Amino acid sequence: MPIHEKSLIRPENLKTHDELVIDGVDVSGHWSTFIEARVVTDYNEALEEEIAALPGGEYIHRCWQCGSCTNSCTVNAINPDFNPRYWIYLIRMGMESELLRDKDIIWQCVSCNKCTYACPRDVFPEGVMKATSHWLELKGHTPKSPSMHFDEVFTEQIVKTGKIEESRTIRRFFARTKQALMQDWMIEMTKRMLRHLPIGMLTRMGLATLVAPRTSNWGAASKAMQEYIDEQEHERAEALNLAALAKRPEQDVAA
Amino acid sequence: MTTKEKYKKVAYYPGCALEGSGHSYNRSTKAVGKALGLDLVEVKNWNCCGAMEVKNVDPKLQTYLSSRVMSVAANEMDMDVVMAPCNGCYHNLKKAEYDLANDAESVEVVGKLSKKAGHKTYESGQVETIHALDWIKEAIGEDGLRERVKNSLSGIKIANYYGCMYTRPRHIFPEKDQGPGSESTSKPHFMDDLLAAAGAENVDFPLKTACCGGAHTLSDSDTSTKLVLNILKTAKMAGADVIATECPTCHSGLEMHQIRAEKTLGEKVDIKILYFTQLLGMALGLKPRKVGVHENISDSMRFLKEKGLA
Ligand code: SF4
Ligand code: SF4
Ligand code: SF4
Ligand code: SF4
């Protein structure tokens, strides 16, 4: 049986026998191509609720699978495996193991909101992508993505000082993700920047890295925000039942 | 008061990027304002709006940060319009405005945080947030601009690049898509209108609102480089000499990945990248240095000389 939709099926699910005769009929090669039957036994019935409990995931239940999000998606255009509609489907069906096959690319959503613009049901798929990457990290399926590291470095700085000073943020980000700061293209960029900048500007930039900009009288706001962040983290851990998850390895050892 | 008069004096929210990599946008915005006789009063002791990052840690924290900026403008400065040239800032203030008008939980969290931080809580409707494009388009308009042009931009072909955050998501911009005179979210034209009034020729550019991958410019650089390369090449194919920008993040994203594409993929696209305020400023007779052309990473001096602007 030739399968016309081959490109839509994951290669590992396609089965072909190079030599096969059934009831005297030669069905070798593509005549014997089948989509492997899969038995799904590991439904996570709470999956949709868990995603919906994280910021951005609230409206996932509205999705009617029209596909407009995937059709308009910036990242899908360069990587066809990036498929928001499909992930929303898997989440709503509770098919966790299927979802996990794509765990390493979900964080690549660039937050362009083309999906949100196109979605006829106000699902806010961009938010669902963020909630899903967050969920993957909280559940320990993926390490923190470079993007989450960046968000955290950035947020910490704002909570602390009220403002962002770019070079400091970039340095901290590279340190936390263990990347070399001076990559080839960065050096080239810096060189081109320096070529045109007047001394005054350079001094100002140099000073900016020493005397970082900050909002004054920020202490009270900073404290209030930190308290709020801690509260939220606690609530999310409860919604995802992370305490039980942490206990499981101990129980496994005991058993 | 008409919108025209109302926009003559606005609270100016430059945002962090304009103090760093987007300094030339800051310089050119102020210079253009001055040349046009418009008044900018910087928001006192402002803080970052949260950019594209804080919302991923917690969206309501971002709403609070943006609300504080509007609270200062409204309650401590008695202003009723806040102008932000950065798409990120503009977008976040608009989003906070929307959430505070429509979501009781956001109102509660913002109220609680403002109280603890010791300042007045911002209430939706106290200020109107506009972009630098709205500001010039409404306060001066195409006719007003035409009268003031000293160096026409004629002979310069421009692809206008608006990026993502100026038009999406649609619901936070209730004033857009309201028929003639209003901005369009699918095919924005305010920047086209202003630059055309200054004499430039706008090319038909299909990627006006495409995304440059700015959110992951450092954490997923390869994706950003691919997206930027596509934008640069498409603008070039559409016949443009220059891509005009209206956001520091979009602008530096294009400049950075123009270089990165050259270095890592060996693809060089020769196209100039300038802020729309730099182009307008030069049309109004300002020297390139006055609008910070020398502070851009990409070098457009020779091109500007050829076109008689420098
Ligand atoms: S566009 Fe909206 S409704 Fe359609 S599949 Fe995507 S999320 Fe679901
Ligand atoms: S926001 Fe993310 S999921 Fe939505 S279109 Fe953009 S990249 Fe795709
Ligand atoms: S969006 Fe960017 S420029 Fe605007 S305040 Fe935040 S960090 Fe600063
Ligand atoms: S185009 Fe790029 S920088 Fe501009 S708003 Fe979109 S992602 Fe951000």
Side-chain angles (χ1 to χ4, degrees):
Chain A
M1 173 187 60
I3 300 178
H4 298 294
E5 296 82 3
K6 239 180 179 170
S7 63
L8 299 176
I9 300 160
R10 293 185 199 245
E12 65 266 34
N13 289 341
L14 285 169
K15 289 282 168 270
T16 302
H17 296 270
D18 292 336
E19 276 172 47
L20 185 68
V21 178
I22 297 177
D23 291 344
V25 182
D26 183 358
V27 287
S28 304
H30 71 253
W31 292 106
S32 66
T33 301
F34 291 93
I35 305 170
E36 183 160 53
R38 278 165 299 146
V39 184
V40 180
T41 50
D42 63 341
Y43 281 104
N44 172 359
E45 283 178 30
L47 188 54
E48 182 176 3
E49 275 166 44
E50 290 179 0
I51 299 284
L54 297 173
E58 296 88 340
Y59 303 109
I60 187 170
H61 64 281
R62 293 179 181 162
C63 174
W64 62 19
Q65 289 291 303
C66 70
S68 301
C69 47
T70 297
N71 194 36
S72 60
C73 175
T74 299
V75 179
N76 177 265
I78 50 180
N79 177 9
D81 288 341
F82 191 97
N83 191 341
R85 180 208 56 80
Y86 180 54
W87 295 330
I88 291 173
Y89 168 76
L90 295 176
I91 294 166
R92 299 203 59 206
M93 298 297 281
M95 294 165 84
E96 186 168 323
S97 57
E98 285 288 302
L99 180 74
L100 290 180
R101 300 212 286 193
D102 288 330
K103 68 183 166 51
D104 296 321
I105 58 172
I106 298 177
W107 69 273
Q108 286 179 314
C109 161
V110 289
S111 292
C112 66
N113 269 315
K114 290 213 163 189
C115 50
T116 311
Y117 192 89
C119 177
R121 296 280 294 162
D122 283 348
V123 171
F124 300 100
E126 186 266 347
V128 178
M129 294 306 107
K130 291 294 159 203
T132 309
S133 354
H134 207 154
W135 178 88
L136 288 166
E137 286 164 15
L138 287 172
K139 288 269 181 169
H141 293 304
T142 50
K144 258 187 201 157
S145 69
S147 154
M148 197 61 199
H149 276 298
F150 194 72
D151 296 340
E152 287 181 358
V153 169
F154 203 96
T155 306
E156 281 164 25
Q157 201 188 339
I158 298 176
V159 169
K160 231 163 109 191
T161 68
K163 284 190 184 177
I164 284 298
E165 192 273 292
E166 292 160 327
S167 65
R168 182 171 53 181
T169 311
I170 292 174
R171 268 184 281 119
R172 289 209 182 138
F173 166 69
F174 279 112
R176 206 169 289 188
T177 51
K178 305 191 173 56
Q179 298 183 60
L181 177 57
M182 277 298 150
Q183 305 184 15
D184 244 16
W185 62 278
M186 277 250 193
I187 297 175
E188 180 63 26
M189 191 176 74
T190 316
K191 270 199 256 164
R192 292 194 198 185
M193 265 165 84
L194 296 185
R195 207 162 54 209
H196 306 291
L197 290 180
I199 295 295
M201 169 91 177
L202 289 177
T203 326
R204 205 176 54 79
M205 285 174 67
L207 284 182
T209 55
L210 295 175
V211 196
R214 42 172 70 235
T215 308
S216 34
N217 298 323
W218 190 246
S222 172
K223 187 160 165 273
M225 286 196 289
Q226 194 54 55
E227 280 168 20
Y228 174 73
I229 295 176
D230 295 343
E231 238 170 73
Q232 292 303 308
E233 263 172 20
H234 180 72
E235 271 181 30
R236 276 166 215 160
E238 297 243 294
L240 267 53
N241 205 3
L242 293 184
L245 200 66
K247 274 207 204 99
R248 210 154 50 192
E250 292 163 28
Q251 285 163 357
D252 289 350
V253 173
Chain B
M1 212 193 317
T2 60
T3 313
K4 199 178 171 74
E5 286 159 21
K6 210 164 97 184
Y7 288 4
K8 288 238 145 84
K9 182 177 176 181
V10 297
Y12 178 47
Y13 178 44
C16 316
L18 267 67
E19 292 198 331
S21 56
H23 191 256
S24 55
Y25 193 25
N26 198 356
R27 191 191 281 263
S28 53
T29 302
K30 286 184 185 164
V32 166
K34 201 168 160 208
L36 293 172
L38 301 173
D39 222 352
L40 291 176
V41 193
E42 188 160 329
V43 175
K44 281 189 216 156
N45 191 31
W46 52 265
N47 57 276
C48 175
C49 67
M52 301 169 90
E53 283 77 11
V54 174
K55 80 164 191 1
N56 299 333
V57 173
D58 191 281
K60 292 194 181 68
L61 208 56
Q62 179 132 336
T63 310
Y64 164 68
L65 286 164
S66 301
S67 83
R68 182 186 172 277
V69 174
M70 296 191 280
S71 170
V72 173
N75 301 317
E76 294 173 35
M77 300 168 66
D78 211 19
M79 300 293 287
D80 42 27
V81 180
V82 176
M83 187 279 274
C86 164
N87 272 357
C89 305
Y90 167 68
H91 174 278
N92 284 341
L93 266 51
K94 286 285 201 191
K95 169 108 183 9
E97 180 68 46
Y98 179 88
D99 285 349
L100 292 174
N102 294 287
D103 175 40
E105 262 182 60
S106 299
V107 175
E108 193 196 315
V109 172
V110 165
K112 215 167 73 186
L113 289 174
S114 304
K115 197 163 166 223
K116 282 198 201 165
H119 59 82
K120 269 205 176 152
T121 305
Y122 175 76
E123 280 169 32
S124 75
Q126 278 189 290
V127 296
E128 179 191 2
T129 298
I130 61 170
H131 190 272
L133 284 170
D134 302 301
W135 177 54
I136 300 175
K137 171 109 173 156
E138 296 293 340
I140 302 294
E142 288 96 304
D143 289 338
L145 212 52
R146 244 176 248 121
E147 285 165 19
R148 294 173 171 86
V149 167
K150 295 205 179 93
N151 278 329
S152 165
L153 301 180
S154 69
I156 300 189
K157 295 192 181 134
I158 298 181
N160 291 279
Y161 180 56
Y162 297 80
C164 322
M165 316 248 281
Y166 176 70
T167 54
R168 287 189 300 268
R170 190 187 344 228
H171 68 276
I172 64 172
F173 306 110
E175 70 286 2
K176 290 182 179 161
D177 294 330
Q178 296 302 311
S182 71
E183 182 60 300
S184 155
T185 56
S186 57
K187 284 192 179 147
H189 52 82
F190 277 16
M191 187 158 45
D192 295 66
D193 298 346
L194 295 175
L195 292 170
E201 184 189 327
N202 294 312
V203 303
D204 196 1
F205 181 46
L207 298 185
K208 282 179 166 185
T209 66
C211 173
C212 74
H216 292 169
T217 197
L218 293 173
S219 44
D220 187 9
S221 303
D222 290 341
T223 299
S224 299
T225 303
K226 275 187 211 148
L227 294 172
V228 168
L229 192 59
N230 193 25
I231 292 166
L232 300 176
K233 280 181 167 171
T234 308
K236 190 83 191 168
M237 274 195 296
D241 313 310
V242 174
I243 297 181
T245 56
E246 41 103 315
C247 165
T249 321
C250 303
H251 183 98
S252 53
L254 295 187
E255 288 194 316
M256 258 165 71
H257 290 283
Q258 186 179 35
I259 295 173
R260 196 167 180 276
E262 204 181 309
K263 281 268 145 191
T264 61
L265 306 174
E267 296 230 35
K268 188 177 158 114
V269 188
D270 180 24
I271 190 157
K272 310 301 169 202
I273 302 161
L274 290 160
Y275 287 107
F276 86 98
T277 42
Q278 294 183 311
L279 289 158
L280 280 188
M282 290 183 281
L284 293 168
L286 300 172
K287 290 262 167 291
R289 288 190 81 83
K290 276 266 182 262
V291 290
V293 171
H294 58 294
E295 290 173 358
N296 291 355
I297 301 175
S298 60
D299 188 1
S300 355
M301 272 321 239
R302 193 178 332 142
F303 168 78
L304 294 170
K305 277 196 185 118
E306 277 167 23
K307 297 288 172 187
L309 290 171

